[in-house]
Amino acid sequence: ETGVTQTPRHLVMGMTNKKSLKCEQHLGHNAMYWYKQSAKKPLELMFVYNFKEQTENNSVPSRFSPECPNSSHLFLHLHTLQPEDSALYLCASSQEREYGELFFGEGSRLTVL
Amino acid sequence: EDQVTQSPEALRLQEGESSSLNCSYTVSGLRGLFWYRQDPGKGPEFLFTLYSAGEEKEKERLKATLTKKESFLHITAPKPEDSATYLCAVLSGSARQLTFGSGTQLTVLP
């Protein structure tokens, strides 16, 4: 496997469910990111991890909980989501923090019913 | 606060019809301007980095240029496979993260 891999690619969940998104990068990068992409809106940065330590949390609601067990893996735990949370969730990595050259996964399309 | 505005929102071209996409930005100390391509249902793919006014980068039919206020992505003789959404982003001296524009959705008709 190469690049950044995200699973699942599609997820449908009810408002009371708990689910997790997984991201794995095979590039040897030190920084990993979660972005939210909604239609017609710019990419929104949610969380940043640098060397497994969370460095950014852009006022994301607590119903989104990130986890970074090592520099290659990143999770986004989801619980009691709202329909407006339906979006494409993108994981990305970069060589270092504050690099503009990001490598993105293909995303997880989330639908909250 | 950094701001990035891309225009037009959508662009339809005939195959071979050259055009340009615009990215206007307002930042405090530009550290870099980045272009990405995003195909439907996929994550963005990095294309170019520009660091200073006057700089140009080329890749196949694409050429990116940078001034102190905006960047252009010129597409020469586009083909249908160039159809995608093109995203512009900036990294500034004050912000520790990329600021993205909303993108330009390009459709190239055969």
Side-chain angles (χ1 to χ4, degrees):
Chain A
E1 293 247 29
T2 58
V4 179
T5 304
Q6 288 187 244
T7 55
R9 292 293 313 280
H10 300 275
L11 180 62
V12 179
M13 58 188 290
M15 293 170 62
T16 58
N17 291 159
K18 291 184 180 181
K19 297 285 185 182
S20 297
L21 307 181
K22 178 183 176 182
C23 175
E24 184 175 0
Q25 59 100 355
H26 307 271
L27 300 168
H29 289 168
N30 296 316
M32 295 187 76
Y33 310 78
W34 279 116
Y35 279 89
K36 176 183 179 181
Q37 188 173 39
S38 305
K40 305 295 184 183
K41 293 178 66 176
L43 284 169
E44 300 174 50
L45 179 65
M46 301 176 71
F47 301 103
V48 182
Y49 279 82
N50 194 37
F51 291 96
K52 302 188 301 178
E53 299 298 321
Q54 184 175 318
T55 60
E56 299 278 344
N57 174 344
N58 279 8
S59 303
V60 180
S62 59
R63 57 186 184 268
F64 295 91
S65 175
E67 178 188 0
C68 187
N70 55 62
S71 57
S72 297
H73 293 84
L74 187 63
F75 295 88
L76 187 63
H77 303 299
L78 316 169
H79 61 98
T80 59
L81 295 189
Q82 305 298 312
E84 59 264 30
D85 296 322
S86 298
L88 182 68
Y89 289 85
L90 291 161
C91 174
S93 69
S94 64
Q95 185 64 48
E96 302 290 347
R97 177 75 177 86
E98 299 186 30
Y99 264 40
E101 297 175 18
L102 304 183
F103 291 77
F104 286 87
E106 296 203 323
S108 295
R109 172 68 62 184
L110 173 66
T111 302
V112 182
L113 302 177
Chain B
E1 182 181 336
D2 300 342
Q3 292 188 337
V4 178
T5 303
Q6 292 189 247
S7 62
E9 286 189 16
L11 180 63
R12 292 167 68 91
L13 300 173
Q14 289 296 134
E15 185 171 0
E17 180 187 0
S18 301
S19 188
S20 297
L21 313 182
N22 178 266
C23 172
S24 299
Y25 63 90
T26 305
V27 299
S28 175
L30 182 70
R31 293 173 58 190
L33 185 141
F34 306 86
W35 283 99
Y36 286 83
R37 167 190 171 131
Q38 186 173 20
D39 293 305
K42 294 194 173 183
E45 176 187 357
F46 169 74
L47 291 174
F48 302 111
T49 305
L50 301 166
Y51 291 107
S52 58
E55 189 174 0
E56 299 182 352
K57 293 278 179 71
E58 285 190 66
K59 180 179 181 179
E60 296 181 354
R61 296 176 291 281
L62 300 177
K63 183 169 80 172
T65 62
L66 182 64
T67 73
K68 289 186 178 181
K69 294 183 179 181
E70 57 193 349
S71 176
F72 292 94
L73 185 64
H74 307 277
I75 303 176
T76 302
K79 298 181 177 181
E81 53 262 42
D82 294 322
S83 297
T85 296
Y86 290 87
L87 303 175
C88 171
V90 296
L91 187 64
S92 71
S94 57
R96 300 187 63 197
Q97 61 198 43
L98 287 176
T99 300
F100 279 88
S102 297
T104 293
Q105 184 176 6
L106 174 67
T107 303
V108 181
L109 303 171

